[in-house]
Amino acid sequence: MKLYMTPGSCTTGIHILLEELDLIFEAHLINLMAGDQHQPDYLALNPKASIPTLVRNDGTALTEFQAIAYWLARTYPKAKLLPGDADGDAKVMELMDYAVGTLHGQGFARIFTTEKFTPSPADHDAVKAQGLDIVTKAFAILNAQLPTEGYALGNFSIADAALFYVEFWADKTGVTLPENCLKHYRLMLSRPVVKRVLMEEGYRVE
């Protein structure tokens, strides 16, 4: 398999899942700032010009964080990355979709790629402030849903990988994580695979 990724991005969550499953894969770095995602070879794999992209052993490509995470969980059920019952699986998808769709897609996207939300530089500060407000409120909602100890929904799941990467962004951008989110983040940082992935991606792990 091949993972098209950018260190420190949402693809870090997929990188963690691949390593947790002890899968053999090639990592292909996509430099978003340089516009690698718009190169013809990459667009042939992923016309959305987005990350992550996972090219599977049969040569077909999967895109979107949630789709890739779900496919990995269903393809390798012995790892128990999904609870396995309808209610539990739905709760995992609910948390994962909120982390990716709201925290990432609506909040952090306004902070990191402000220019995509307004054509006017004069509005950049307002857009960033809106993004920070979305992030702060979303973390507060998740904080109320997370347990005071342990992983998001009992055992480690694909939801934890999604939540981790937005918590990682919060840490790196000075956003204060509420108590339960911070406990979850620190728990994830204690996992050997997470430490290894961050080091592989060029981040110092305390």
Side-chain angles (χ1 to χ4, degrees), residues 9-177:
S9 73
C10 58
T11 59
T12 298
I14 300 299
H15 188 180
I16 288 169
L17 294 176
L18 288 167
E19 295 280 4
E20 288 281 357
L21 292 167
D22 200 25
L23 298 177
I24 297 173
F25 66 97
E26 297 176 6
H28 293 258
L29 300 185
I30 299 296
N31 187 331
L32 298 176
M33 298 298 292
D36 289 356
Q37 70 274 28
H38 298 296
Q39 294 298 315
D41 288 350
Y42 188 67
L43 289 175
L45 294 173
N46 182 354
K48 302 170 188 174
S50 62
I51 54 170
T53 298
L54 182 69
V55 177
R56 296 171 290 183
N57 291 330
D58 65 0
T60 60
L62 266 182
T63 64
E64 306 298 336
F65 185 101
Q66 300 98 310
I68 295 171
Y70 179 77
W71 179 81
L72 288 170
R74 288 296 302 272
T75 304
Y76 302 95
K78 290 183 179 180
K80 297 183 179 179
L81 295 176
L82 281 170
D85 62 280
D87 189 60
D89 288 359
K91 288 180 179 178
V92 166
M93 298 302 293
E94 180 184 27
L95 191 155
M96 181 170 61
D97 285 352
Y98 192 63
V100 177
T102 300
L103 269 162
H104 176 173
Q106 297 182 35
F108 279 113
R110 283 176 165 81
I111 297 170
F112 295 152
T113 57
T114 311
E115 67 283 352
K116 292 184 178 180
F117 291 86
T118 175
S120 173
D123 296 326
H124 281 188
D125 286 347
V127 171
K128 288 181 179 179
Q130 183 184 40
L132 180 59
D133 184 59
I134 292 170
V135 165
T136 302
K137 289 178 178 177
F139 272 127
I141 289 170
L142 286 175
N143 190 69
Q145 297 175 352
L146 288 174
T148 56
E149 301 291 341
Y151 294 103
L153 295 162
N155 296 325
F156 175 79
S157 73
I158 55 177
D160 294 293
L163 184 54
F164 172 76
Y165 86 76
V166 288
E167 290 169 341
F168 179 74
W169 286 353
D171 181 30
K172 296 303 178 184
T173 56
V175 174
T176 301
L177 288 170

